[in-house]
Amino acid sequence: MIIRDNGQEYDSEYIEAAIAKGDDRDSIQRDILNMFSRFAYYRYHQIRSLLTTRKCKKLSIEQVRERLDIDKIQAYLALSEEEINYFINFVEKNIKIIS
């Protein structure tokens, strides 16, 4: 899947391959993975914010999954259902969120 961000394109297969390499990543893979991680968290934060009415109380990933309303998110963000689920899964697996 190709994910677009204002002219920047990320290939999900390339991202997954970079994650799988672990410490053997080269500098380009590391840079792309870092940029995508920031972008993925930004999108996750937008999704999470749309699903709660109390912005000061952050939802956990499990709560985001329970409240997930694809139609509501797509009304505000130009994302496909596949992209929404990919961002949530990516953040859950690869980004440490301190509650």
Side-chain angles (χ1 to χ4, degrees):
M1 164 178 54
I2 301 296
I3 300 170
R4 290 178 178 78
D5 171 36
N6 294 334
Q8 181 71 24
E9 291 186 351
Y10 301 101
D11 185 356
S12 61
E13 292 176 14
Y14 184 84
I15 299 295
E16 296 300 324
I19 291 169
K21 280 193 168 186
D23 293 334
D24 295 334
R25 291 181 209 115
D26 60 20
S27 63
I28 294 172
Q29 288 173 321
R30 193 171 39 253
D31 290 344
I32 290 172
L33 186 57
N34 285 338
M35 286 188 317
F36 182 76
S37 294
R38 285 191 297 272
F39 175 64
Y41 183 76
Y42 170 73
R43 285 296 194 196
Y44 168 76
H45 184 271
Q46 288 179 318
I47 292 166
R48 183 182 69 189
S49 294
L50 287 171
L51 298 175
T52 185
T53 56
R54 296 174 55 198
K55 303 297 184 214
C56 60
K57 185 174 184 325
K58 307 295 186 236
L59 298 176
S60 67
I61 290 181
E62 293 80 22
Q63 290 171 322
V64 169
R65 287 191 190 281
E66 289 171 7
R67 296 181 183 190
L68 193 59
D69 182 357
I70 300 295
D71 294 330
K72 181 177 182 178
I73 294 168
Q74 289 178 335
Y76 291 98
L77 302 173
L79 298 174
S80 68
E81 183 174 355
E82 185 180 13
E83 289 174 322
I84 293 166
N85 288 317
Y86 186 80
F87 288 131
I88 294 171
N89 291 333
F90 182 86
V91 168
E92 181 178 34
K93 291 178 190 173
N94 302 301
I95 299 177
K96 183 178 179 181
I97 299 176
I98 301 172
S99 304

